[in-house]
Amino acid sequence: MPRPLIAGNWKLNMLRSGATELATALRKGLEGESKADVVVCPPFIAIPAVVEALRGSAIGVGGQDLYWQDSGAFTGEVSAPMLADAGCRWVIVGHSERRQYFGETDETVAKKLRAAQKAGLTPIVCVGERLEEREKGVTKDVVGRQVDGALGGLSKDELKKLAVAYEPVWAIGTGKVATPEQAQEVHAFIRWRLAGLSDEATAREVRLLYGGSVTPENVRGLMEKPDVNGALVGGASLKAESFLKIVRG
Ligand code: 13P
């Protein structure tokens, strides 16, 4: 069983002062041994303040997105070497909000995750079906396509250096969490698909996170499932109290 990973996606929230305050509270709350690896993903502009507040602690910092070119005439973008240089070790790639509002495709996700790995960042690659896709019964087709599109062609070594987050779009920010059984079913499918791209031993090492309305109340049931190795938390990661409860399980 891989070590659990709990990541907080702060999305478009937090000014520098709030980000520093939250990071400092998490740092205090997580002093000593933690059962899970913990990562926070602030907005780009708050990253330096959060890195500073967490310096010397075990909590990692990640970006919420990146561009696949290292540098050049790409106004408004942030590259993997820039994130690494700012102190990030992680980056979210292919979040459904990027796919939905900013034209992210499996192809761009594939480029971004390779750029992230090249710079030594660990990508958290997001996949997940929309409500109408689940209702049509094509969840596995959609997720399978996203997994193959993003991860196809990676070596076993590269596959071991990333995490996949299953985030059903209908569960994000809706308060409508997937049941542990629904999450387990798709996670087992993703792991099977990863085994197809590599082998079973490699697939077993990849951390599969669940995301979508995770709260202190529902995290335990989800984490009890064998193929759920962590959580990607949105709303509940914005308050130290609830995020700490989630980390403690
Ligand atoms: P919520 O936890 O707010 O539903 O968001 C989930 C998410 O999108 C994390 O990336």
Side-chain angles (χ1 to χ4, degrees), residues 17-204:
S17 55
T20 305
E21 209 173 290
L22 176 54
T24 306
L26 295 178
R27 178 189 190 131
K28 273 205 197 109
L30 287 174
E31 263 165 17
E33 249 321 91
S34 166
K35 289 184 295 183
D37 289 338
V38 180
V39 173
V40 292
C41 301
F44 289 139
I45 198 130
I47 285 172
V50 171
V51 166
E52 197 47 47
L54 295 176
R55 194 174 297 286
S57 85
I59 304 172
V61 181
Q64 297 175 13
D65 184 30
L66 77 162
Y67 190 58
W68 59 83
Q69 298 280 359
D70 287 354
S71 62
F74 303 103
T75 302
E77 295 297 317
V78 171
S79 71
M82 289 174 182
L83 289 175
D85 182 54
C88 290
R89 286 187 287 121
W90 302 81
V91 63
I92 297 170
V93 183
H95 191 279
S96 66
E97 286 149 16
R98 304 270 353 144
R99 295 178 190 258
Q100 190 178 348
Y101 306 128
F102 303 103
E104 193 85 81
T105 63
D106 292 336
E107 201 177 25
T108 58
V109 173
K111 288 186 188 175
K112 288 180 176 189
L113 91 85
R114 281 159 181 78
Q117 288 192 325
K118 194 174 114 212
L121 300 171
T122 303
I124 301 173
V125 182
C126 302
V127 298
E129 82 288 2
R130 289 177 287 136
L131 180 60
E132 59 270 31
E133 293 166 334
R134 175 159 284 263
E135 284 171 346
K136 264 199 260 160
V138 296
T139 295
K140 288 180 185 169
D141 301 286
V142 171
V143 171
R145 206 162 46 232
Q146 291 171 335
V147 168
D148 291 356
L151 309 182
L154 292 181
S155 69
K156 290 177 194 172
D157 234 35
E158 288 165 335
L159 280 174
K160 287 180 199 167
K161 290 185 194 143
L162 54 82
V164 178
Y166 169 56
E167 299 206 307
V169 178
W170 48 269
I172 295 178
T174 57
K176 213 173 154 230
V177 65
T179 64
E181 291 69 31
Q182 285 173 321
Q184 169 58 28
E185 188 185 356
V186 180
H187 282 223
F189 168 76
I190 294 172
R191 206 177 298 284
W192 172 79
R193 203 79 175 203
L194 290 173
L197 294 174
S198 54
D199 56 39
E200 275 181 31
T202 303
R204 266 199 302 274

